[in-house]
Amino acid sequence: MADDQFNLECDRLSRVVDPEAFENLEWARTDGAALEAAAKRAMQALEHREDLELVAEPSDDRRRRFVLRTKGSNPIDIATLWMKVEGEMIALWPEAIVDSKFKVSGAGRPFLTRVENADEAWLHSAIGQAMARVDHR
């Protein structure tokens, strides 16, 4: 039996035995892998900046949460950026941080692209547009 056929049979049996666990495994292989790759590129987008950074925060398995903050001895949290993958699309959107002195216009409205187009250029554009929605309260 070829490796591809063997893996298909393993997947089939796994799906029959525990459909929920198989769904989580399948998500991790596809959408989860795409999300992780995009999350790494998002964090790298601000690496060259001396004033701003994206810090990964705890989140659920299907979304990634970042805090946009200033660098330095007294960092200021500016806004939250969320990212998720659903099917063939990836979404990035900003939200205000509770009790922050900053507001986010259009909070929750995502910037979308196909997963295969979520390259460095798209992330720079989406993060830049997300930052453009941030202003003082």
Side-chain angles (χ1 to χ4, degrees), residues 7-8 38 43 45 49 51 55 57-58 73 89 99 128 132 134-135:
N7 285 327
L8 287 172
M43 291 184 61
R49 299 289 306 198
D51 54 346
V55 178
E57 294 280 319
S73 59
M89 302 299 289
D99 297 328
V134 176
D135 205 349

Side-chain angles (χ1 to χ4, degrees), residues 1 3 7 14 16-17 19-20 30 36 47 50 53 55 63 68 75 79-80 83 85 88 91 97 115 118 126 132-133:
M1 188 180 288
D3 282 346
N7 285 327
S14 181
V16 168
V17 172
E20 185 176 334
T30 56
E36 284 306 311
E47 279 184 344
E50 295 179 19
E53 65 183 340
V55 178
R63 300 183 301 173
L68 175 63
T80 299
M83 185 183 295
V85 172
E88 297 178 3
I97 296 173
V115 169
R133 293 182 181 178

Side-chain angles (χ1 to χ4, degrees), residues 2-19:
D3 282 346
D4 288 345
Q5 186 62 36
F6 175 76
N7 285 327
L8 287 172
E9 287 303 321
C10 289
D11 287 351
R12 185 197 65 75
L13 182 58
S14 181
R15 187 181 304 113
V16 168
V17 172
D18 190 340

Side-chain angles (χ1 to χ4, degrees), residues 46-117:
L46 293 174
E47 279 184 344
H48 70 286
R49 299 289 306 198
E50 295 179 19
D51 54 346
L52 299 171
E53 65 183 340
L54 275 180
V55 178
E57 294 280 319
S59 57
D60 60 47
D61 288 343
R62 307 250 172 164
R63 300 183 301 173
R64 293 296 173 264
R65 179 179 185 258
F66 305 93
V67 173
L68 175 63
R69 71 172 47 131
T70 61
K71 289 182 180 177
S73 59
N74 190 20
I76 299 169
D77 291 350
I78 300 166
T80 299
L81 295 181
W82 288 93
M83 185 183 295
K84 75 174 181 176
V85 172
E86 270 192 36
E88 297 178 3
M89 302 299 289
I90 188 163
L92 182 142
W93 67 96
E95 289 185 357
I97 296 173
V98 176
D99 297 328
S100 171
K101 60 183 175 181
F102 301 98
K103 64 181 178 180
V104 176
S105 61
R109 278 195 352 247
F111 303 101
L112 298 166
T113 193
R114 296 180 65 78
V115 169
E116 64 267 18
N117 296 332

